[in-house]
Amino acid sequence: MLTSGEHDGNTGAFAVATKDDRSEVAYVETAIRAITTDDPTDLSELARTLVALHSRPLTEDMSRELIRKVAQEKWT
């Protein structure tokens, strides 16, 4: 288990929606463009990411350090 706070959820925003017929669709933002997918493999990966996000919340200090690291990598 990573203790630095890095995991797949850090790669971009996404949302998973369940439609009236109980099928799912996901909206995923990437650095290049946003995509919508109903591919079972994609949905499975996003479900695993959601579990990781829910099971490994960062402490306040870890969140602050991760924000600093990402800001430095992206904007300096």
Side-chain angles (χ1 to χ4, degrees), residues 3-5 13 15-16 22-23 27-30 35-37 42 44-46 50 52 54-55 62 64 74:
T3 58
S4 66
V16 178
R22 305 304 297 160
S23 64
Y27 171 82
V28 182
E29 293 182 356
T30 72
I35 60 169
T36 304
T37 181
D42 294 339
S44 179
E45 183 65 30
L46 291 171
L50 281 172
H54 286 255
S55 66
M62 289 172 72
R64 198 174 2 264
K74 302 269 185 196

Side-chain angles (χ1 to χ4, degrees), residues 4 56-68:
S4 66
R56 298 188 309 184
L58 299 177
T59 65
E60 186 176 328
D61 288 338
M62 289 172 72
S63 292
R64 198 174 2 264
E65 184 57 34
L66 182 59
I67 291 167
R68 281 189 192 110

